[in-house]
Amino acid sequence: MNDSFVIPPSAEDGETAVVARVACLFGVTAESVVAASGGFSGAAVYCVQTADNQRYALKQVQDPSPRSLQRLRWQHELINSAVMLRSVPLPQPLSAATGDIRLHSSHLAFDSLSSTLWTAEPWLPGYPADASAISDRHLTNASHALNEIYTAFSDTVLRTGGNERYRIEFNRSNALKTRIEILRSLLNGELEELLKTMEADPDTTFRHLARTICAALSRHIRRLYEQCCELAAREFRLQPVLKDVWSAHVLFTGSDVTGIIDLDASDTDSICCDLSRLQRSWFGSNIGRIQNWVEVFSSIRPLDKPERQLLSALDGCTVLLSPLNWLRRRRDDLKATENQRLHPLGRKLKTVKEPETPGKLLSTPAPGYPITTASARDSLCSSMIIDRLKRLSGVAEAYESVVF
């Protein structure tokens, strides 16, 4: 290891010190460090700022298994190629200044003192757009950005031959298959069991939200299941897609898209997976705005009739099954488990006092990720779930099938 890139650990090797030291492995000298959470994926994410106000996102790798690391290498290769081919607004992974040959990647760094594995990337500029402020110009620019990304992804696969994770093929949609399995489980008794469990929840607000969501599922689940099954055997054009693209991951500066972040879930499927998730996160139950968005997008990247049918089915699943994920988390003792998942590194270091240096907390949140301090993280989990469910339950209650 090159000593010029190492911050010596303090006697109290706390969270801030670990992140600052890891930043140096990527050639970044941390002036300030702040914990950032992108949701409940379990990823430990930090915003590191340098003395000249450059910002970087440092992410702790959660699964260091050989298969997971191979998938991560493919992800880095895809992003690098897409940016090189089309200059798309994706975060290119940084190269580690002191790489470990055993990792077979220049974009992974291992911190031996904390036994953690990390990636780093630029903190892209911009902020998520509020739904009320999204204009047709925003939609046009977002459509162009997504189309450029899909084209760059396709060009990459055609140029390299693809791999197990990223391919181009005509096949059945795995996203649709997964949702059919969930709907079948609900029809076979899980929905009744879930509602019964939720009725015993001590939180009256949560009980009310659970009843609303389960009632909406009960009204629409049979028809949605049939709609999905009608498409189950159909083959669609599949290619690398983002999978986890939603309002918080699309960053705007003005009406220009300056960042699309968090590609950890990216995989091979229909682009309709992305459209269905993004449109509802922007517009909720506003069907007029959703249909407008689809027409704007399809004017740039045409959708054929089967794709529009798939989009309609996946849209229904987005509305009715998204809140189900949160009900399941609550049922499975979410409060205990999710506090750990929100910040696994913090769990390892929570008994050590954090040093005052190096680094300090930023006084203002950085764009892109909701910001939380270490001391506030554990108390946020339940309120975040309630807030998310309030929005999702309203959309589910107002759900009607949309024809595109």
Side-chain angles (χ1 to χ4, degrees), residues 228-294:
C228 290
C229 287
E230 290 170 3
L231 300 171
R234 185 168 293 178
E235 294 186 344
F236 303 91
R237 184 186 187 276
L238 309 184
Q239 68 151 86
V241 293
L242 302 169
K243 290 296 286 286
D244 191 27
V245 58
W246 62 295
S247 58
H249 290 171
V250 181
L251 310 181
F252 291 91
T253 300
S255 61
D256 295 329
V257 177
T258 49
I260 294 181
I261 59 175
D262 197 348
L263 275 72
D264 291 347
S266 59
D267 216 322
T268 295
D269 216 303
S270 167
I271 62 173
C272 297
C273 297
D274 290 349
L275 303 184
S276 63
R277 180 152 165 71
L278 182 57
Q279 65 196 25
R280 288 292 182 170
S281 69
W282 271 341
F283 302 123
S285 56
N286 190 328
I287 304 303
R289 295 300 313 272
I290 290 172
Q291 289 177 322
N292 180 44
W293 148 249
V294 172

Side-chain angles (χ1 to χ4, degrees), residues 105-122:
S105 173
S106 62
H107 303 301
L108 291 168
F110 180 71
D111 177 53
S112 58
L113 294 175
S114 62
S115 296
T116 50
L117 190 61
W118 296 80
T119 65
E121 61 194 36

Side-chain angles (χ1 to χ4, degrees), residues 179-379:
R179 285 153 180 78
I180 289 174
E181 292 171 352
I182 295 172
L183 291 167
R184 186 180 294 123
S185 174
L186 291 169
L187 286 167
N188 288 338
E190 184 186 1
L191 181 58
E192 292 180 7
E193 179 270 332
L194 193 61
L195 181 57
K196 182 178 179 180
T197 302
M198 295 301 100
E199 287 292 349
D201 193 285
D203 191 305
T204 56
T205 301
F206 191 89
R207 288 202 304 272
H208 171 73
L209 293 172
R211 291 188 195 112
T212 301
I213 292 164
C214 290
L217 273 166
S218 297
R219 288 195 303 273
H220 300 291
I221 188 171
R222 177 64 63 178
R223 177 66 193 104
L224 182 59
Y225 177 69
E226 293 171 353
Q227 182 183 8
C228 290
C229 287
E230 290 170 3
L231 300 171
R234 185 168 293 178
E235 294 186 344
F236 303 91
R237 184 186 187 276
L238 309 184
Q239 68 151 86
V241 293
L242 302 169
K243 290 296 286 286
D244 191 27
V245 58
W246 62 295
S247 58
H249 290 171
V250 181
L251 310 181
F252 291 91
T253 300
S255 61
D256 295 329
V257 177
T258 49
I260 294 181
I261 59 175
D262 197 348
L263 275 72
D264 291 347
S266 59
D267 216 322
T268 295
D269 216 303
S270 167
I271 62 173
C272 297
C273 297
D274 290 349
L275 303 184
S276 63
R277 180 152 165 71
L278 182 57
Q279 65 196 25
R280 288 292 182 170
S281 69
W282 271 341
F283 302 123
S285 56
N286 190 328
I287 304 303
R289 295 300 313 272
I290 290 172
Q291 289 177 322
N292 180 44
W293 148 249
V294 172
E295 292 314 307
V296 170
F297 180 85
S298 60
S299 70
I300 295 167
R301 187 182 183 92
L303 299 172
D304 59 26
K305 183 177 179 181
E307 286 177 321
R308 288 174 178 265
Q309 292 172 332
L310 177 62
L311 179 57
S312 178
L314 292 177
D315 175 73
C317 292
T318 294
V319 173
L320 296 173
L321 299 186
S322 292
L324 177 69
N325 294 331
W326 301 95
L327 297 186
R328 284 173 164 177
R329 290 173 188 265
R330 183 76 169 202
R331 177 192 61 188
D332 299 334
D333 197 13
L334 182 145
K335 186 174 182 179
T337 59
E338 290 299 317
N339 282 344
Q340 296 177 344
R341 285 165 53 83
L342 270 173
H343 191 58
L345 180 60
R347 183 173 71 252
K348 292 178 183 177
L349 303 175
K350 65 182 179 181
T351 59
V352 234
K353 179 182 177 183
E354 291 191 15
E356 295 182 2
T357 57
K360 57 184 179 296
L361 290 180
L362 295 174
S363 59
T364 56
Y369 295 89
I371 300 298
T372 63
T373 61
S375 60
R377 256 182 235 113
D378 289 350
S379 64

Side-chain angles (χ1 to χ4, degrees), residues 1-2 5 22 24-26 64 69 73 76 94-113 115-119:
M1 187 175 289
N2 186 335
F5 290 100
V22 169
C24 280
L25 297 178
F26 291 96
L69 293 182
R73 285 190 286 270
H76 291 162
L94 300 184
S95 293
T98 54
D100 187 330
I101 192 171
R102 294 170 299 175
L103 300 175
H104 303 290
S105 173
S106 62
H107 303 301
L108 291 168
F110 180 71
D111 177 53
S112 58
L113 294 175
S115 296
T116 50
L117 190 61
W118 296 80
T119 65

Side-chain angles (χ1 to χ4, degrees), residues 19-38:
V19 177
R21 184 175 62 242
V22 169
C24 280
L25 297 178
F26 291 96
V28 174
T29 302
E31 172 72 13
S32 57
V33 174
V34 65
S37 172

